Amino acid sequence: MTTTSAPRAAAPSPFRRIVTISLAVIVALVVAFFAFSNLYAEFLWFDQLGFANVLTTQWLARVVMFVVGFVGMAGPVWLAIFLAYRLRPVYARLSSQLDRYQEVVEPLRRLAMWGIPVFFGFFAGFAASAQWETTWLWLNGGATGQTDPEFGLDTGFYMFAMPFYQSVAGFASAVILISLLVTAAVSYLYGSVRIGQGEMRISKAARIQLAVLAGVYLLVQAGSLWLDRYANLVAAGDRITGPAYTEANAVIPGQTILAVVAALVAILFFVTAVIGRWRYPLIATALLIVTSLVVSLGYPWAVETFQVRPNQRDYEMDYYQRNVDGTRAAYGLDGIEKTEFNAETEAEEGQLRNDADTTASLRLMDPAIISPTVRQLQQYRQYYGFNERLDVDRYQIDGETQDTVVAVRELDLGQLDQSAQTWQNTTMVYTHGYGLVAAKGNERTNEGEPVFIESDIPSSGFLSELDYEPRVYFGENSPLYSIVGAPEGSEPMELDYPRGQEGASETRTTFDEEGGPSVGNFFHKLLYAMKFQSEQILFSDNVNADSQILYDRDPATRVQKTAPYLTIDSDPYPSVVDGRIVWIVDAYTTSSTYPYSTGVSLSSAISDSTNPQPSLRIDDINYIRNSVKATVDAYSGEVKLYAWDEEDPVLQAWQKVYPSTVLPIDDMSGELMSHVRYPTDLFKVQRAMLGTYHVDTAGQFYQRDNAWATPSDPANQDVLQPPYYLSMRMPGQDEPTFSMFTTFIPDGGQRNVLMGYLSVDSDAGDEAGQKRDDYGKLRMLEISADTTVPGPGQVQNMFNSDADIASQMNVLQIGNSNVRLGNLLTLPVGGGLLYVQPVYVQSTGGTTYPLLRKVLVAFGDQLAFEDTLAGALDELFGGDSGAATGDDDVTPTDPTEEPADPDAGDGEDQGEQPEETTPPVAGDEYAQALSDAQTALSEKQAALEDGDMVAYAEADERLTDAVSRLLELEE
């Protein structure tokens, strides 16, 4: 009998093994290089800006926290597995099932002993690295000087220390619980814990390990319960944030009892580890559960039901007052100045004479509407554009403050002809916008257009006389990236503006400052070719040794990256400061753990008709400060951060984390100070809180019979009305001040009447490094209940339902025209509240842009609708309001009327021709000049209809030349 042995498995080919290993190494190197290239490109960006320490601090902190989390989890879990296996009984009798389990597990035991801790360690490391900011704030946070009313602790404990302690307690609980579970599993698998015949047997070693782990776990829970006592001060309740009577007198004492009991039970587990009796800790654990039910649920329910609810006002007023005081302090509302306002509702002649300085600055140009008008008149080329909503600023002109509507002429490459959108054009030729456009906010032309005081290409106006840098390489709509720079003396490649000298069609320039990382060597070219997935960067001959790459050009993005701990305001705005266009960006420090302060959703609070609800990294807050003013140079992209609120404890902590990144307020120039304003988003958050917290006392807060709300936008009831900037004199002020305003109506119900009027002084002055005393002063007019003043929604309804106004509106819409209502402004003038709303008309065909044609005004229940603000006020106030306005001298004309025919006679009988005059010189020359004038006039009109303002200007120049020749020939 012969047997045939099984064929032996073929040995793996050495060549295949080498290829496999080589491919794996190559893949790993490629992945590592891509990861390195992204990190290094990011470092180059920060380093060029001078903020490299911001990035390296984040990297170092994340690495340190990852290591701490990894070791903190992997170490105890490995030790638990090692001890449970090492101390297993050698001759334990196991069931057949456990024997089979061991046969399966044993070949993998060594891998599992290291793999399980590493697996949990990686998860813990990544979780810990995400908490690095909490840890660094704890390390660098200090005292605020304010104490909480319940425990008497400094509020810095809640803002900096408590979140860290809570995260440590949560991490420690997870580590011990996982260690306890793996210990139990290993002990059962290797016979240290045996279950059978109705009983459980535990070896001495396993008993000690399990009991110690259980005791440590309970000690951690005791510490967590102790921390929960303080967490009550930032927990939201039914009416307030922070403990009310029940929480202070039942919940917090109950948590104290539970913490003590848990610590005692932990001690019993430690005793069990020594004496080996499980009965005492198990009974104690059962008692802990029962105690928890009694002190956490039963006792608080009894106190709330039998004491508080029947006598709530008597028991809880002190706690409500704590919430009122804490909330007002956390949102900067504690310094508000309130005045009762008895509003007049009857309009009389001359009533606005004492407020003429306020009405003279009243804004007629709505920044949310006139962008198409500015685009039509100032775009010049299709590849330029303006934001859909313009910005509001002010400038000193001839010693007077002039409110302005401003916009930056930025690139809009999406409008460039498709055939021109080559990589070289979009990256190296079209690299920047050009110029800032400014129009008076309170004036208009006869045709209803803005009155520009800075405009055109090349720029001209009062700012150009100061010789500012008009080029805009960094803006809100800049291209994804541009490559700029060239050796000195080389021919410029970048298009500067579409007009040149001596008949040239364009002017070109070369960027000559440090604005982005260098791409002058092969390695940097390779980095950015991968980053932007563009091989042209690597192979283009135009990328030279002096080339720089500009990216992340949005001012808000640049500030957010250089100061990642800040929340950025949604409305950066451009100003000309010290000869440069700079973007001024407001930024906030926030917290969600300020004791006794009610929280708010930041995204909801700042959402209105001009700002759809944004998505924010940090949303739920209960503390906010405008701690930083930032500037971004529109030419060089340089970012500067200034400590605006140097007393803010959150900013002080972050300044220790990122030293030398925030400049002192003393470094702010006087010109920069003159353009700083109170930030929009902070004001919106404050008005959201003032709806409830405009009251001072707990009694008023408890009754809640005077709660307010921000009115809906009259033009869109689904969103809130935005606040607005004006230079205006509030009752009690000596002179008009650049301020921001909003109104309040009753919360709930259908009554749209005015309850409050809020302003904040937004003028920081013009002294270098020194804020004006009244900057940030909140002033509230509380409308007396004796007089009913219509709210914005009611006034809009009055405008819409008035028969005379409706008929005039219908006339405006005859033909291809739409009526657009501007911002409805409310002004406390003439002893009452005046409403003003500009009305724009926009054609629906051909060249379309809104023009100011009418103005609506209301005072009390009296309305007027006229061509100008001056006329409307005079009509409303008995024929002479006494007010001064920006359109006093305007004679409105209809821009849609056809211009007079230059060939037509001016006699009554159009068929009768005037007697011909023989020109004093040769007829051919005179006829040629006349023909040139007619041709130029026709071309000028055609250019205006096409919206080509460059052709319009050229035709106008030819017309001027022809008219000059005609005048010379007639002399």
Side-chain angles (χ1 to χ4, degrees):
M1 182 175 179
T2 61
T3 60
T4 304
S5 61
R8 299 177 63 182
S13 168
F15 176 75
R16 183 180 300 175
R17 183 183 305 169
I18 292 172
V19 170
T20 303
I21 295 175
S22 299
L23 288 176
V25 171
I26 291 172
V27 169
L29 289 175
V30 169
V31 171
F33 181 74
F34 271 96
F36 167 77
S37 64
N38 285 330
L39 293 175
Y40 187 58
E42 194 76 348
F43 175 80
L44 291 175
W45 188 91
F46 277 88
D47 187 53
Q48 187 276 324
L49 269 179
F51 286 87
N53 65 322
V54 171
L55 189 63
T56 54
T57 296
Q58 294 178 58
W59 287 351
L60 177 62
R62 289 182 182 277
V63 169
V64 168
M65 291 302 297
F66 178 86
V67 172
V68 170
F70 181 88
V71 173
M73 174 66 78
V77 171
W78 178 86
L79 183 62
I81 295 174
F82 174 78
L83 291 176
Y85 176 76
R86 183 68 177 271
L87 301 176
R88 71 192 185 284
V90 179
Y91 301 108
R93 296 182 60 185
L94 303 177
S95 65
S96 59
Q97 187 173 18
L98 279 179
D99 280 335
R100 289 195 296 271
Y101 286 161
Q102 281 194 13
E103 289 178 1
V104 173
V105 170
E106 189 60 28
L108 302 174
R109 175 178 56 79
R110 189 178 300 276
L111 176 63
M113 182 171 291
W114 293 98
I116 291 174
V118 169
F119 173 79
F120 285 110
F122 268 107
F123 276 100
F126 287 121
S129 68
Q131 294 293 319
W132 77 267
E133 291 179 321
T134 300
T135 304
W136 260 242
L137 274 181
W138 168 69
L139 290 171
N140 294 280
T144 66
Q146 304 293 324
T147 57
D148 80 85
E150 178 65 25
F151 296 105
L153 297 176
D154 189 274
T155 56
F157 167 80
Y158 299 92
M159 299 172 74
F160 306 126
M162 187 179 72
F164 171 74
Y165 295 147
Q166 288 177 317
S167 64
V168 169
F171 182 84
S173 295
V175 171
I176 298 168
L177 186 59
I178 291 173
S179 299
L180 186 61
L181 291 175
V182 297
T183 297
V186 173
S187 297
Y188 176 73
L189 183 63
Y190 286 95
S192 297
V193 176
R194 286 175 289 171
I195 302 174
Q197 300 179 352
E199 64 177 353
M200 181 173 66
R201 295 183 179 182
I202 304 176
S203 68
K204 180 179 179 181
R207 181 195 73 213
I208 294 173
Q209 186 172 347
L210 290 171
V212 168
L213 285 173
V216 173
Y217 181 78
L218 282 171
L219 279 181
V220 172
Q221 299 312 302
S224 182
L225 286 167
W226 192 265
L227 281 175
D228 287 344
R229 299 161 64 248
Y230 304 112
N232 283 291
L233 270 71
V234 298
D238 293 337
R239 289 288 303 273
I240 65 173
T241 292
Y245 182 87
T246 300
E247 288 76 19
N249 293 275
V251 174
I252 291 177
Q255 290 169 334
T256 304
I257 293 171
L258 283 177
V260 173
V261 172
L264 293 175
V265 175
I267 293 173
L268 290 177
F269 273 100
F270 295 143
V271 171
T272 295
V274 177
I275 66 175
R277 296 183 178 273
W278 289 95
R279 179 183 305 172
Y280 302 123
L282 293 179
I283 293 175
T285 301
L287 290 176
L288 175 62
I289 295 173
V290 173
T291 303
S292 174
L293 294 175
V294 172
V295 302
S296 297
L297 299 176
Y299 183 55
W301 175 83
V303 171
E304 180 72 17
T305 302
F306 301 114
Q307 283 186 271
V308 176
R309 288 181 184 173
N311 310 283
Q312 192 170 28
R313 188 180 182 90
D314 295 331
Y315 277 89
E316 300 211 314
M317 285 304 97
D318 289 344
Y319 302 98
Y320 283 9
Q321 189 65 52
R322 292 178 180 181
N323 178 246
V324 170
D325 295 341
T327 301
R328 288 166 67 92
Y331 292 96
L333 305 175
D334 44 357
I336 190 170
E337 179 183 283
K338 297 194 292 184
T339 304
E340 186 171 355
F341 189 64
N342 295 300
E344 297 286 343
T345 57
E346 296 295 326
E348 299 178 357
E349 184 176 350
Q351 194 165 340
L352 302 183
R353 187 161 286 112
N354 292 333
D355 295 297
D357 49 1
T358 287
T359 57
S361 299
L362 205 154
R363 191 175 68 243
L364 296 172
M365 293 292 109
D366 186 345
I369 287 184
I370 68 168
S371 180
T373 307
V374 174
R375 188 181 305 118
Q376 177 67 28
L377 301 176
Q378 292 295 320
Q379 185 175 11
Y380 287 98
R381 288 291 188 270
Q382 73 274 16
Y383 48 78
Y384 288 132
F386 298 93
N387 275 343
E388 287 302 315
R389 176 177 173 81
L390 308 186
D391 291 295
V392 176
D393 199 2
R394 73 278 188 202
Y395 288 89
Q396 286 288 326
I397 302 177
D398 297 329
E400 298 292 332
T401 299
Q402 173 66 59
D403 287 5
T404 58
V405 177
V406 298
V408 167
R409 188 183 292 105
E410 294 195 59
L411 276 180
D412 184 3
L413 294 181
Q415 299 302 315
L416 193 64
D417 186 85
Q418 190 66 34
S419 62
Q421 292 190 20
T422 63
W423 179 84
Q424 189 169 14
N425 269 347
T426 58
T427 304
M428 297 182 169
V429 176
Y430 297 96
T431 59
H432 61 279
Y434 192 93
L436 181 136
V437 174
K440 292 185 177 181
N442 61 332
E443 294 188 19
R444 50 163 287 187
T445 66
N446 292 340
E447 294 79 16
E449 298 174 349
V451 176
F452 293 106
I453 52 179
E454 179 69 24
S455 59
D456 299 335
I457 293 180
S459 298
S460 63
F462 79 105
L463 291 173
S464 297
E465 294 173 0
L466 304 176
D467 192 26
Y468 78 100
E469 171 56 67
R471 296 165 184 84
V472 181
Y473 284 87
F474 295 84
E476 294 178 298
N477 299 298
S478 295
L480 176 63
Y481 71 95
S482 295
I483 296 178
V484 298
E488 186 176 353
S490 60
E491 183 177 352
M493 178 179 292
E494 303 171 46
L495 178 66
D496 203 16
Y497 54 85
R499 183 177 296 178
Q501 299 176 350
E502 300 179 358
S505 62
E506 62 187 20
T507 298
R508 292 182 178 264
T509 188
T510 298
F511 183 82
D512 61 359
E513 292 192 13
E514 295 296 325
S518 169
V519 283
N521 60 61
F522 178 81
F523 182 62
H524 286 184
K525 289 179 185 180
L526 179 61
L527 287 181
Y528 287 104
M530 290 192 301
K531 179 177 178 65
F532 293 107
Q533 299 181 10
S534 175
E535 71 281 358
Q536 293 94 332
I537 296 176
L538 189 62
F539 300 115
S540 174
D541 293 336
N542 296 114
V543 181
N544 55 73
D546 294 309
S547 292
Q548 305 171 43
I549 186 166
L550 313 181
Y551 62 98
D552 285 341
R553 300 159 77 174
D554 175 62
T557 300
R558 293 178 79 79
V559 174
Q560 184 68 85
K561 290 183 68 172
T562 54
Y565 54 91
L566 295 175
T567 299
I568 307 302
D569 190 270
S570 60
D571 188 24
Y573 59 99
S575 290
V576 174
V577 176
D578 300 323
R580 312 281 285 214
I581 298 176
V582 299
W583 294 92
I584 300 176
V585 185
D586 285 287
Y588 312 104
T589 47
T590 60
S591 176
S592 59
T593 54
Y594 192 92
Y596 270 111
S597 175
T598 296
V600 67
S601 167
L602 183 57
S603 61
S604 297
I606 66 176
S607 174
D608 57 29
S609 61
T610 63
N611 182 32
Q613 187 162 339
S615 177
L616 301 175
R617 184 176 67 94
I618 298 175
D619 194 14
D620 296 321
I621 63 169
N622 72 352
Y623 170 95
I624 186 170
R625 290 290 185 271
N626 177 211
S627 53
V628 170
K629 299 283 187 183
T631 62
V632 178
D633 191 305
Y635 185 84
S636 67
E638 181 184 19
V639 177
K640 290 184 178 180
L641 309 174
Y642 298 97
W644 188 251
D645 186 350
E646 296 179 304
E647 301 301 318
D648 174 35
V650 182
L651 177 62
Q652 291 174 352
W654 283 116
Q655 283 182 294
K656 295 176 183 177
V657 177
Y658 299 113
S660 305
T661 57
V662 180
L663 303 172
I665 191 175
D666 295 341
D667 286 4
M668 297 181 71
S669 69
E671 193 166 346
L672 176 57
M673 296 292 292
S674 69
H675 290 283
V676 164
R677 68 188 192 191
Y678 199 80
T680 308
D681 287 353
L682 176 58
F683 188 67
K684 291 178 183 179
V685 170
Q686 289 176 321
R687 75 173 179 178
M689 301 311 299
L690 280 170
T692 301
Y693 291 93
H694 63 275
V695 299
D696 297 315
T697 64
Q700 294 172 301
F701 176 83
Y702 173 75
Q703 291 171 199
R704 198 173 169 79
D705 59 346
N706 191 26
W708 298 347
T710 302
S712 298
D713 191 301
N716 184 356
Q717 293 297 310
D718 296 329
V719 291
L720 299 181
Q721 184 181 36
Y724 44 88
Y725 292 98
L726 288 173
S727 287
M728 193 170 69
R729 177 162 51 89
M730 283 282 285
Q733 283 186 292
D734 296 329
E735 57 185 17
T737 305
F738 186 72
S739 304
M740 189 161 38
F741 305 91
T742 193
T743 56
F744 293 96
I745 60 174
D747 184 23
Q750 300 299 318
R751 292 185 69 238
N752 198 292
V753 297
L754 213 59
M755 302 298 293
Y757 186 82
L758 177 67
S759 76
V760 62
D761 193 324
S762 301
D763 186 0
D766 57 6
E767 186 175 346
Q770 187 66 43
K771 282 187 276 188
R772 190 169 141 272
D773 288 342
D774 280 345
Y775 171 85
K777 181 72 174 179
L778 292 164
R779 296 181 174 89
M780 174 75 79
L781 300 181
E782 295 185 324
I783 312 302
S784 173
D786 296 336
T787 306
T788 299
V789 178
Q794 185 176 340
V795 169
Q796 191 69 65
N797 183 64
M798 291 162 57
F799 287 153
N800 296 341
S801 59
D802 184 270
D804 291 337
I805 294 175
S807 64
Q808 294 185 64
M809 287 285 194
N810 289 334
V811 172
L812 293 176
Q813 297 183 78
I814 292 176
N816 296 325
S817 298
N818 286 333
V819 172
R820 298 186 63 183
L821 300 177
N823 39 209
L824 182 59
L825 307 178
T826 311
L827 296 87
V829 294
L833 278 302
L834 173 71
Y835 286 93
V836 177
Q837 185 173 44
V839 177
Y840 298 82
V841 176
Q842 180 172 354
S843 171
T844 58
T847 302
T848 64
Y849 54 94
L851 298 171
L852 179 60
R853 297 291 301 281
K854 291 279 189 177
V855 180
L856 285 161
V857 294
F859 192 87
D861 58 359
Q862 300 158 84
L863 312 176
F865 187 40
E866 298 295 334
D867 292 342
T868 64
L869 175 60
L873 293 178
D874 286 341
E875 176 69 20
L876 190 65
F877 289 92
D880 180 14
S881 65
T885 65
D887 62 357
D888 280 333
D889 300 328
V890 170
T891 303
T893 60
D894 187 347
T896 63
E897 291 181 355
E898 293 295 329
D901 186 349
D903 294 328
D906 55 1
E908 292 183 6
D909 184 359
Q910 295 298 322
E912 183 178 339
Q913 299 299 322
E915 183 177 348
E916 292 185 5
T917 302
T918 303
V921 293
D924 290 344
E925 190 175 351
Y926 187 91
Q928 182 62 47
L930 182 60
S931 175
D932 291 345
Q934 292 172 340
T935 302
L937 183 62
S938 299
E939 292 174 350
K940 181 178 177 181
Q941 181 64 27
L944 179 63
E945 293 175 354
D946 294 337
D948 190 343
M949 301 313 296
V950 175
Y952 178 93
E954 293 171 350
D956 183 71
E957 186 176 351
R958 291 194 297 273
L959 176 60
T960 303
D961 177 71
V963 171
S964 298
R965 283 188 283 137
L966 285 171
L967 293 175
E968 291 174 0
L969 291 171
E970 289 178 349
E971 290 178 354

